[in-house]
Amino acid sequence: MVETIWQVLLILIKIVVILVPLMLGVAYLTYAERKIIGYMQVRIGPNRVGPRGWLQPIADAMKLLMKEIIVPSNANRFLFVIAPMLSLGPALAAWAVIPFGDGMVLADIDAGLLYVLALSSLGVYGVIIAGWAANSKYGLLGAMRSAAQMVAYEIAMGFALVGVLMAAGSLNLGAIVRAQAGGVLHWFWLPLLPLFLVYFISGVAETNRAPFDVAEGESEIVAGFHVEYSGMAFAVFFLAEYANMILIAALTAIMFAGGWLSPFAGIPVLGAPSLLWLLAKTAFFLFFFLWFRATFPRYRYDQIMRLGWKVFIPLTIVWLLVEGVAIMARVGPWFDHAAAAAGS
Amino acid sequence: MTFEKFVFYVFALITVYAAFRVITVRNPVHAVLHLVLAFFSSAGIWLLAEAEFLGITLVLVYVGAVMVLFLFVVMMLDVNLAPLREGFVRYLPVGGAIGGLMILEMSLILASRHFAAAKALPPHGPHYSNTRELGALLYTDYAYPFEIAAFILLVAIVAAIALTLRRRPDARRQQVGEQVRVRRQDRVRLVAMAAESRSAGPAEEEGS
């Protein structure tokens, strides 16, 4: 009994060790976003609170904590309150299977990839329920857009992940990284280039980020699904969106860019696999999220649907066929050992 | 009572409660959300039975995709609740008969020794991969039934699209190919012109 309690305590400590840096990462991602987009638009960005504006995210969080949460009249109170939590919960729970290094993972489960896919598909409930429960037409429109968009891009995302599991021969995220051992050219981004691009763009669409942010679409529907939310309830949606962004970036790094493996394999010191490589790759992909937002105008809604259903899904299916042929032909250096593993 | 058993009873209670609320709750959106909860907690029960692939797939397919579309449709409907509740007594005998039949069938399977379902599954070692075993079985022993099922689903997809497709000659459609082929020269023209002085009137305008 005492042993069980210790185990539970150990797991709780591990969860805190993962979540606290994640929350700090979310806070400073908002700062990085404002600074990077600021410089891209030839302005300076936040620079008043603390040295160089470093305390700006803390100030923002304090301000949101102090604000009143207003529940609109005729809103469904229970669903209105629970919606932000439903949005944040899956975004945090998915981190349980993310491997930060060889064996550095909270839950080393066999079907890790499926688990991540299942949880990222749950995030849409927070958005739909928020839009419906608030009893606001803008909220409902945003929820509808978001639901259609997420269902469309989830399929392309799932197919891209099928390609990854074909190449790695495993659904375990740690095993997927280990299957990419070798230099930059051994990582899966090269043989799975179309799937890599589809996955990343679908990831941007799933997180409702620009240029796919029609669920918020300020110019048309005010703020979309969270138009009626204020204070901390709004902040929780914000947290979920940014935690999802970091999650998608980390997953892209793990599945297509070798996770914790070093790009300079074979060179002493630099070639050692490390958590820092995973963080650097995640930051690299996160930069693209911010860069997209500063660069592209918002997509038209029918074009988003067309891109998801009529471009991405056929593209991934074709590339799965190509990949299957490559695995059968044992094209090196990626598929010679994967085929052997699948055959055993 | 072991911890697994305790977790099982928690999940089972939530499942039964949620399933009961699906048919008793007034608001259709709440009913769909309770159905989601029922699916989710039965996925938890499947995880306890070491069927992690099926459990996660249940969440992925039913909770993550099918129920989202359900919710989508139910939110768009403007359901008038009063007529829905009127037929309750009239349909009660039929519903009760079907429910009784289902209970009878289930208890036959669970209690009878002719069916294998009553036996407890043998426990597996820590290196047993549910996903790998299921895949191996589906693509070897059950390859033909699996492919036939896939083909039937494909036919169903095609049929659903064919049934709902309406060709209306008067409807305006977007020609996506033409939209993509449009070049900048077709839409805007850059015109070079000299700067005009503030005092110059419209009569002296110089175009290019």
Side-chain angles (χ1 to χ4, degrees):
Chain A
M1 191 65 201
V2 178
E3 195 151 317
T4 326
I5 293 173
W6 273 118
Q7 267 181 350
V8 170
L9 263 182
L10 194 67
I11 292 173
L12 283 179
I13 290 169
K14 280 182 184 169
I15 291 174
V16 170
V17 168
I18 293 174
L19 286 192
V20 169
L22 178 65
M23 285 294 134
L24 278 177
V26 167
Y28 279 89
L29 182 57
T30 64
Y31 173 75
E33 174 169 36
R34 294 170 69 178
K35 271 292 190 190
I36 287 170
I37 293 180
Y39 281 118
M40 282 179 178
Q41 295 168 347
V42 206
R43 7 180 220 104
I44 291 175
N47 66 345
R48 293 287 135 171
V49 190
R52 294 167 171 271
W54 285 336
L55 294 181
Q56 182 69 46
I58 313 290
D60 288 343
M62 290 308 292
K63 179 190 141 189
L64 284 169
L65 271 173
M66 305 287 183
K67 293 271 181 182
E68 183 188 357
I69 297 177
I70 298 164
V71 181
S73 58
N74 283 331
N76 191 313
R77 191 172 255 280
F78 176 71
L79 290 180
F80 186 81
V81 174
I82 210 173
M85 302 174 204
L86 281 179
S87 166
L88 184 62
L92 297 184
W95 285 89
V97 295
I98 301 293
F100 297 96
D102 205 350
M104 278 169 66
V105 53
L106 179 63
D108 194 11
I109 62 172
D110 225 26
L113 200 59
L114 264 182
Y115 173 83
V116 166
L117 200 60
L119 279 179
S120 64
S121 69
L122 287 185
V124 67
Y125 278 104
V127 173
I128 298 186
I129 293 174
W132 183 78
N135 193 28
S136 149
K137 51 179 168 288
Y138 298 122
L140 191 63
L141 282 172
M144 291 293 160
R145 287 179 171 197
S146 176
Q149 185 178 330
M150 283 200 182
V151 169
Y153 280 86
E154 220 169 72
I155 299 172
M157 219 171 177
F159 273 127
L161 297 187
V162 168
V164 173
L165 83 92
M166 274 167 75
S170 173
L171 279 170
N172 183 304
L173 289 173
I176 288 172
V177 174
R178 279 189 288 277
Q180 303 178 54
V184 184
L185 296 180
H186 287 76
W187 298 349
F188 286 154
W189 67 270
L190 192 54
L192 307 181
L193 189 62
L195 299 184
F196 165 56
L197 295 178
V198 166
Y199 179 79
F200 191 64
I201 297 172
S202 304
V204 176
E206 280 262 305
T207 46
N208 284 327
R209 292 288 301 180
F212 301 103
D213 58 345
V214 289
E216 292 170 29
E218 300 90 346
S219 52
E220 308 141 26
I221 49 174
V222 195
F225 63 93
H226 58 57
V227 66
E228 301 291 347
Y229 282 86
S230 57
M232 215 44 212
F234 166 75
V236 170
F237 276 120
F238 209 72
L239 276 177
E241 181 179 331
Y242 281 77
N244 268 326
M245 271 165 72
I246 302 178
L247 180 72
I248 294 286
L251 281 174
T252 313
I254 284 167
M255 288 187 294
F256 296 99
W260 64 79
L261 299 171
S262 160
F264 311 106
I267 303 168
V269 185
L270 261 185
S274 147
L275 168 65
L276 295 177
W277 286 118
L278 179 64
L279 295 182
K281 289 166 187 170
T282 308
F284 175 75
F285 288 118
L286 275 175
F287 181 74
F288 277 90
F289 276 89
L290 310 184
W291 193 3
F292 287 163
R293 186 170 167 198
T295 308
F296 297 121
R298 190 172 293 135
Y299 249 92
R300 215 172 64 201
Y301 195 72
D302 63 310
Q303 288 174 334
I304 291 184
M305 285 292 130
R306 178 172 164 266
L307 185 71
W309 288 105
K310 294 190 182 172
V311 179
F312 279 178
I313 294 175
L315 187 71
T316 48
I317 292 176
V318 167
W319 200 256
L320 286 183
L321 288 178
V322 172
E323 196 191 342
V325 171
I327 289 175
M328 290 308 282
R330 306 201 167 202
V331 176
W334 314 288
F335 299 129
D336 33 8
H337 52 271
S344 67
Chain B
M1 192 157 70
T2 59
F3 186 64
E4 274 91 17
K5 229 174 196 172
F6 172 72
V7 175
F8 169 77
Y9 279 117
V10 170
F11 275 126
L13 270 180
I14 296 174
T15 312
V16 171
Y17 165 77
F20 183 70
R21 293 296 284 168
V22 172
I23 51 171
T24 52
V25 84
R26 282 170 164 273
N27 191 324
V29 172
H30 289 190
V32 173
L33 290 175
H34 276 107
L35 192 56
V36 170
L37 180 62
F39 276 133
F40 203 84
S41 40
S42 43
I45 293 176
W46 286 11
L47 284 183
L48 277 180
E50 295 186 9
E52 77 262 14
F53 181 80
L54 290 178
I56 298 175
T57 312
L58 180 71
V59 173
L60 178 62
V61 175
Y62 280 91
V63 178
V66 175
M67 294 318 289
V68 172
L69 294 179
F70 247 75
L71 204 56
F72 197 95
V73 172
V74 167
M75 279 179 184
M76 298 293 262
L77 293 177
D78 189 19
V79 185
N80 192 1
L81 293 172
L84 281 180
R85 309 183 68 81
E86 276 172 2
F88 184 75
V89 180
R90 196 152 64 89
Y91 295 123
L92 191 62
V94 183
I98 291 173
L101 204 63
M102 281 166 78
I103 291 173
L104 189 73
E105 283 174 353
M106 272 187 191
S107 49
L108 264 181
I109 288 178
L110 289 177
S112 160
R113 57 195 164 76
H114 298 296
F115 292 97
K119 297 191 196 86
L121 293 170
H124 298 288
H127 292 291
Y128 169 78
S129 169
N130 186 273
T131 315
R132 188 177 287 276
E133 293 293 317
L134 203 66
L137 214 59
L138 268 186
Y139 286 99
T140 52
D141 291 1
Y142 297 99
Y144 289 123
F146 182 68
E147 279 174 13
I148 291 171
F151 197 75
I152 292 173
L153 281 176
L154 182 67
V155 170
I157 294 173
V158 174
I161 294 173
L163 282 177
T164 52
L165 193 67
R166 281 192 300 163
R167 292 209 180 281
R168 288 184 302 176
D170 55 323
R172 288 169 172 269
R173 290 171 175 277
Q174 305 222 358
Q175 301 295 327
V176 179
E178 280 177 25
Q179 288 183 348
V180 171
R181 274 196 299 277
V182 161
R183 292 282 83 105
R184 198 193 67 185
Q185 291 83 1
D186 305 341
R187 297 285 165 88
V188 284
R189 192 163 50 98
L190 280 184
V191 182
M193 57 184 289
E196 292 175 23
S197 67
R198 186 178 277 263
S199 60
E204 299 167 40
E205 197 176 27
E206 287 178 25
S208 68

